[in-house]
Amino acid sequence: MSTDKKDTSSMEKLVSLCKRRGFIYQSSEIYGGIGGFWDYGPLGAELKRNLRDTWWRAMTREREDVVGLDATIIMHPQIWKASGHVDTFTDPMADCLLTKKRFRADHVDLQSGMVYHFTGATGEESTKSDVPFAVLTPFGKPRESALKVAKLFYESRGVKTPEPTGGEQGEKVENTRAYNPENGAQLTEPRPFNLMFKTYVGPTATEKDVAYLRPETAQAIFAQFRNVVDSSRVKVPFGICQIGKAFRNEVTPKNFTFRSREFEQMELEFFIKPDEAVEILAGSVVTWSEGADLSTPQPNWGWDMWHRYWVSQRVEYYNSIGLGTDVLDYYWQGPDDLAHYARACVDILFKFPFGTEELEGIAARGDFDLSQHQKHSGKPQEFFDDELKVAAAKLTDGQKEALIQKRIAFEAAKTKGTPLTEAEVRAWFDRLFKGFYVPHVIEPSAGLDRLALAVLAQAFTEEEKADVNGKTEVRTIMRLHPRIAPIKVGVFPLLKNKPELVGKAREVYDLLKKHMNCFYDETAAIGRRYARQDEAGTPFGVTIDFETLGEKGDELKDTVTVRERDSNAQHRVKISELLGWLLQRLA
RNA sequence: GCGGGUGUAGCUCAGUGGUAGAGCACUUCCUUGCCAAGGAAGAUGUCGCGCGUUCGAAUCGCGUCACCCGCUCCA
């Protein structure tokens, strides 16, 4: 995905503020830190909890069609075999010996030509090298071109004006991936990079006991699909969502918490009927067209309507926590980017200071995952749809055959993956007409740590302000949406040497703290306390002043000053109405 | 994993071989009448870590760890 502008300095400021105020620390810092792992401090822990809660509420509690799951991090290793992670997570890598450029060893273009094997080189000032090196040159090119590359190689190893030795005769080689296509230089032996963290279950720690820390939370949902269906009276279309840790042994963790080795995912697997089932039940299938109404799911929606629906739902969610359209972007994967089993995938991107990068991917994955588990476990992962069975029974043989022929034509037109044979299509429809199908899935998969970073980056604002002495200074304000702010309200007695103010302030604090995260502060001048809370992102400050005590007349007695972080506006609010006033603005 | 950069107080940074510093922040006290006021006192460092060179290392060398940038990777 794209990178537009880089803003390293604002990122550095954000990292610094995160540490200073207790949002995010480096893991294991006293031992020098450990790459790709980050801890959340007091404010960060609250922020993350709030984000987690808003997601959970939006995805399951406020919906009738999604249920939750909380599965283990370590699961049966077969799960990762079935999902493809054991194979595809192992990327063989090879480096160019000359330029150090790195290649996916299995992605290097196949080449043929003459290979010249050099055994070393001698040079001026008795510099020399015994390191062997080989160069591939296209057929028809002279040996000198190979020699030129070899000289560069030995020069880079400290040999002055080198004369490579050996390599007099070229060797004919065909279809090799062992040389850099750009310059012909030899690549290192491919080394595997498995991105899954490995561990051992049980005391013996043999190869038989190998297990993996999950690299995504999604597979647990698929693995428990049958149990959820059997125990919770859900009917397709419905979803299962989960929040939890996932682990990837990234080659290069970077951009603060953006790419970490341990991270938290928030995933939904939303199971839908195959389009053929929709067609049988509803008579026709609605497909996406620009401007279609996505507000309420309809029984005749095809998979792409559901996909678009979830994109719009997710965008609505981001808007609800303060990430508006101005900071979001989208990337629709083209046919070439898509995995063979995926039908569509859109990334919701956020404009981070280091570039526009993915917050969430929403993929239409067909029935790939459940089918894989059905195949590997030998346990059926079908859903039985009563209404479908009844509707299918009413179809004529001709209608049935028309559906089958349509699918056969669709399979024949496939350009990716292995198309189903006619026999397989007929077997699939045989099950479908009896009411059985493996549901298709729409998968909105979001990164919680990325979201936390996004809202922090979005909230980070600097303002120049003159202090009482007229000296301008830069102040940092974290304009976090009140719904996710770690501290909702700061409670301050105007002065701490007046026991009446302090006593009243403690009363107000005790009143509020049962309902929201509050912070009591009586140190330093009031302006400083406001400023501290601005950096923590606290949306409201409540100050107990002399009016509260009734010194300015009875009508102001038992009222407090409520100060808004973003506008500096002040309101007089009765203590008896304060809780309601705040709750209304935090909802 | 490769190349480049950085690492000194909580934060930002100065300090190029000779007793570890500044600003801000922090703690306590005084003061205080709404946006980082003022005064006084105080605490804070294995100069990222290890090894070496040296009479002596934050400073020089080697190694290592972490972070940043660029490659590479991101199923």
Side-chain angles (χ1 to χ4, degrees):
Chain A
M1 260 106 309
S2 58
T3 296
D4 36 357
K5 55 171 185 191
K6 298 239 176 224
D7 184 353
T8 315
S9 76
S10 89
M11 202 55 205
E12 278 168 9
K13 284 179 194 162
L14 180 61
V15 172
S16 163
L17 175 116
C18 281
K19 182 174 181 187
R20 181 157 41 87
R21 284 295 166 185
F23 282 102
I24 298 170
Y25 313 125
Q26 197 178 10
S27 167
S28 320
E29 196 189 85
I30 60 167
Y31 290 101
I34 175 164
F37 297 89
W38 301 92
D39 292 344
Y40 289 81
L43 291 182
E46 290 287 344
L47 173 69
K48 215 175 145 179
R49 179 173 298 272
N50 292 342
L51 288 170
R52 205 186 273 123
D53 288 349
T54 55
W55 188 90
W56 191 261
R57 273 210 308 274
M59 296 304 262
T60 169
R61 291 203 180 151
E62 290 172 5
R63 302 185 61 97
E64 292 180 44
D65 54 359
V66 177
V67 295
L69 180 73
D70 190 347
T72 58
I73 286 167
I74 293 173
M75 295 183 279
H76 196 291
Q78 278 296 315
I79 284 183
W80 307 113
K81 194 82 191 150
S83 69
H85 284 84
V86 170
D87 300 323
T88 58
F89 247 50
T90 310
D91 296 338
M93 308 295 299
D95 298 332
C96 171
L97 284 171
L98 181 59
T99 61
K100 307 294 182 196
K101 186 170 170 176
R102 168 155 297 179
F103 295 89
R104 273 279 295 271
D106 52 340
H107 285 188
V108 177
D109 293 338
L110 286 172
Q111 301 175 86
S112 302
M114 298 299 280
V115 171
Y116 295 89
H117 296 275
F118 299 96
T119 53
T122 53
E124 289 173 0
E125 298 169 30
S126 60
T127 51
K128 64 185 193 97
S129 171
D130 304 326
V131 179
F133 182 64
V135 183
L136 176 92
T137 57
F139 290 123
K141 278 235 179 179
R143 173 177 177 273
E144 279 62 39
S145 65
L147 203 59
K148 213 163 105 187
V149 176
K151 281 181 179 173
L152 286 171
F153 170 74
Y154 288 111
E155 218 166 60
S156 74
R157 302 191 60 94
V159 183
K160 298 208 168 126
T161 49
E163 268 321 307
T165 51
E168 286 83 7
Q169 290 297 316
E171 175 202 355
K172 193 175 161 190
V173 172
E174 289 192 346
N175 295 328
T176 174
R177 298 190 200 272
Y179 300 87
N180 184 342
E182 290 158 21
N183 58 16
Q186 189 183 351
L187 300 176
T188 59
E189 285 297 307
R191 283 172 308 227
F193 274 63
N194 194 317
L195 267 52
M196 279 198 291
F197 279 99
K198 216 178 197 182
T199 189
Y200 300 94
V201 174
T204 51
T206 66
E207 273 307 297
K208 237 177 58 202
D209 308 311
V210 166
Y212 302 96
L213 306 191
R214 63 184 178 198
E216 62 169 38
T217 55
Q219 292 307 319
I221 295 177
F222 297 124
Q224 291 292 10
F225 170 75
R226 281 300 331 167
N227 274 336
V228 172
V229 167
D230 292 345
S231 61
S232 51
R233 305 189 61 234
V234 286
K235 280 170 77 178
V236 174
F238 78 98
I240 305 175
C241 69
Q242 176 169 227
I243 300 176
K245 287 286 181 80
F247 303 81
R248 292 180 196 181
N249 202 358
E250 296 287 354
V251 178
T252 316
K254 67 171 188 176
N255 288 330
F256 198 25
T257 57
F258 182 80
R259 181 170 303 136
S260 303
R261 292 190 165 120
E262 174 173 342
F263 56 99
E264 204 159 340
Q265 285 188 313
M266 306 188 289
E267 293 193 302
L268 166 69
E269 302 302 332
F270 195 82
F271 299 100
I272 57 173
K273 299 176 170 91
D275 280 4
E276 288 85 347
V278 173
E279 188 165 353
I280 293 168
L281 281 160
S284 65
V285 179
V286 175
T287 55
W288 163 255
S289 60
E290 200 59 45
D293 179 10
L294 292 168
S295 55
T296 316
Q298 299 299 324
N300 55 359
W301 275 9
W303 68 267
D304 65 338
M305 284 298 283
W306 278 107
H307 185 233
R308 297 280 180 159
Y309 166 77
W310 276 108
V311 174
S312 74
Q313 287 290 299
R314 298 301 303 142
V315 170
E316 214 170 278
Y317 166 78
Y318 287 118
N319 291 340
S320 78
I321 55 168
L323 301 184
T325 44
D326 53 326
V327 291
L328 297 179
D329 208 344
Y330 307 90
Y331 176 76
W332 285 88
Q333 291 191 10
D336 294 341
D337 304 334
L338 287 172
H340 68 85
Y341 50 80
R343 295 177 154 188
C345 186
V346 58
D347 292 336
I348 299 179
L349 314 173
F350 175 79
K351 293 169 185 163
F352 286 98
F354 47 80
T356 301
E357 296 281 356
E358 180 181 350
L359 263 190
E360 167 160 356
I362 302 166
R365 296 171 63 89
D367 61 0
F368 175 78
D369 300 278
L370 285 176
S371 296
Q372 281 293 106
H373 287 300
Q374 178 165 277
K375 198 163 100 192
H376 281 77
S377 69
K379 310 276 194 319
Q381 300 298 314
E382 291 175 312
F383 180 79
F384 174 64
D385 195 322
D386 225 350
E387 292 169 14
L388 175 65
K389 185 186 169 189
V390 172
K394 292 178 184 156
L395 294 178
T396 65
D397 285 350
Q399 285 171 318
K400 285 181 178 175
E401 187 58 26
L403 284 166
I404 293 169
Q405 287 305 326
K406 197 159 118 190
R407 177 64 182 266
I408 288 171
F410 172 81
E411 292 294 331
K414 263 191 188 174
T415 55
K416 273 192 168 183
T418 323
L420 294 181
T421 63
E422 180 172 340
E424 284 168 330
V425 170
R426 287 188 183 280
W428 186 83
F429 271 101
D430 198 39
R431 295 295 290 164
L432 190 74
F433 293 144
K434 287 176 181 157
F436 292 97
Y437 54 81
V438 173
H440 288 223
V441 70
I442 307 292
E443 177 189 85
S445 167
L448 175 53
D449 304 86
R450 287 179 176 191
L451 179 55
L453 184 58
V455 297
L456 286 169
Q458 146 89 355
F460 185 86
T461 351
E462 287 186 316
E463 267 185 11
E464 280 196 356
K465 229 171 168 180
D467 68 13
V468 285
N469 300 326
K471 199 177 77 180
T472 61
E473 56 182 6
V474 177
R475 299 196 191 180
T476 305
I477 303 165
M478 294 301 280
R479 299 191 194 278
L480 291 164
H481 191 287
R483 196 171 286 137
I484 57 169
I487 301 172
K488 306 301 186 192
V489 56
V491 180
F492 319 117
L494 184 60
L495 300 173
K496 78 166 166 187
N497 60 354
K498 298 285 186 289
E500 306 88 342
L501 290 176
V502 170
K504 203 72 189 171
R506 298 293 319 186
E507 270 178 42
V508 171
Y509 174 65
D510 288 341
L511 165 80
L512 297 178
K513 75 177 180 195
K514 293 189 197 81
H515 300 93
M516 61 189 75
N517 196 28
C518 300
F519 188 78
Y520 176 82
D521 192 358
E522 59 179 30
T523 64
I526 189 70
R528 179 180 298 245
R529 281 176 270 167
Y530 288 149
R532 279 178 190 152
Q533 291 308 308
D534 285 348
E535 279 202 338
T538 307
F540 300 105
V542 168
T543 302
I544 286 69
D545 47 31
F546 292 95
E547 284 89 332
T548 316
L549 302 178
E551 286 192 9
K552 298 277 168 69
D554 273 354
E555 66 277 14
L556 289 179
K557 191 168 191 293
D558 285 326
T559 64
V560 292
T561 300
V562 182
R563 178 256 190 189
E564 288 184 29
R565 175 196 65 201
D566 294 337
S567 62
N568 289 358
Q570 301 203 340
H571 310 272
R572 290 301 310 177
V573 179
K574 286 182 184 157
I575 292 176
S576 57
E577 293 167 3
L578 180 60
L579 180 62
W581 193 97
L582 288 168
L583 286 175
Q584 194 193 339
R585 285 161 178 81
L586 295 169

